[in-house]
Amino acid sequence: MPDDKKNIKLKSSVYQLRILICIALAELLILLLFNLWPVYERPVQKDEIKFSDESISLRNAIITRQQSSPPPPPPPQVPVPVPDDEIIEEETLILQDLDISHYADSMFVGKGNEAGTEGQIVSNPQTPPTILRIVEPATPDAAQRAGVKVQVWVNFLVDERGEVEDANISKILLYDEELDNFRKVESINYGLMEVTLEAALHWEFRPATDNGQTVKSRSVQVFSYGF
């Protein structure tokens, strides 16, 4: 009986020793795996973008400017539309001894034609009056000596025959010497208003038409002096 107890105790000691040995071997295997496990290295791509730490300094950049530039080309002149390729006649009217005493207002002139009334004027015809003949007034000597630069806007009343029934000045723009600025004035001296209106009476138009009929209508044109 005592021998059986000794054998049981011996087997228990051997079992415990085996467990300890297994635990030690397991820990040793884990350490070996942790130290000997290969490390994965990411392959370097040939086309990988590389950034540089260098900075570009613009402190010493030289800004160049064109020393002189050619003047801009003059604006193109707007041609006056003429139907049927008809050539506009243009002439210069020289008024030496202009007598405007019979004019009630130097801003208005008329031929005294009473053929129609104001109610027969068509303000917005289907086809507006078209210029056939231009009469340019000669600039008075006084205006030339003064170097006046002015635009005179004239309102024409064109009858059914294309003749100017009356004309009046609707606006006067006076420019400075450099033509940079202008101001609107009520009137202008040097005889410019008179020669403008007298020349306007000699203009000829193709009359306006509305619903297939020639009608009386208005046209606005600009006279320029000193440009």
Side-chain angles (χ1 to χ4, degrees), residues 108-111 113-125 127-134 154-168 199-210 213-221 223:
F108 172 88
V109 292
K111 293 181 179 180
N113 190 352
E114 301 295 338
T117 62
E118 185 70 21
Q120 294 175 317
I121 299 175
V122 179
S123 60
N124 189 22
T127 304
T130 305
I131 301 172
L132 296 179
R133 178 171 176 260
I134 294 175
V154 177
N155 188 8
F156 292 79
L157 177 58
V158 183
D159 63 15
E160 296 87 345
R161 298 181 300 274
E163 298 179 356
V164 178
E165 185 171 315
D166 62 54
N168 64 84
L201 291 178
H202 294 80
W203 282 42
E204 295 180 2
F205 292 81
R206 183 188 301 276
T209 58
D210 194 68
Q213 300 293 327
T214 58
V215 294
K216 184 184 298 185
S217 185
R218 294 192 178 275
S219 176
V220 178
Q221 305 296 330
F223 290 74

Side-chain angles (χ1 to χ4, degrees), residues 100-221:
I100 61 170
S101 60
H102 60 285
Y103 296 152
D105 187 355
S106 61
M107 300 283 286
F108 172 88
V109 292
K111 293 181 179 180
N113 190 352
E114 301 295 338
T117 62
E118 185 70 21
Q120 294 175 317
I121 299 175
V122 179
S123 60
N124 189 22
Q126 292 177 343
T127 304
T130 305
I131 301 172
L132 296 179
R133 178 171 176 260
I134 294 175
V135 177
E136 289 287 350
T139 304
D141 295 338
Q144 292 182 4
R145 290 192 298 268
V148 177
K149 296 176 176 58
V150 63
Q151 285 184 338
V152 182
W153 295 59
V154 177
N155 188 8
F156 292 79
L157 177 58
V158 183
D159 63 15
E160 296 87 345
R161 298 181 300 274
E163 298 179 356
V164 178
E165 185 171 315
D166 62 54
N168 64 84
I169 296 176
S170 60
K171 182 168 59 176
I172 301 175
L173 301 180
L174 183 62
Y175 287 78
D176 57 14
E177 294 183 358
E178 290 77 16
L179 302 177
D180 294 331
N181 301 298
F182 65 86
R183 57 189 177 93
K184 185 178 180 181
V185 296
E186 297 296 330
S187 61
I188 190 72
N189 296 322
Y190 311 107
L192 290 173
M193 296 168 60
E194 292 79 10
V195 298
T196 298
L197 292 175
E198 183 66 19
L201 291 178
H202 294 80
W203 282 42
E204 295 180 2
F205 292 81
R206 183 188 301 276
T209 58
D210 194 68
N211 294 326
Q213 300 293 327
T214 58
V215 294
K216 184 184 298 185
S217 185
R218 294 192 178 275
S219 176
V220 178
Q221 305 296 330

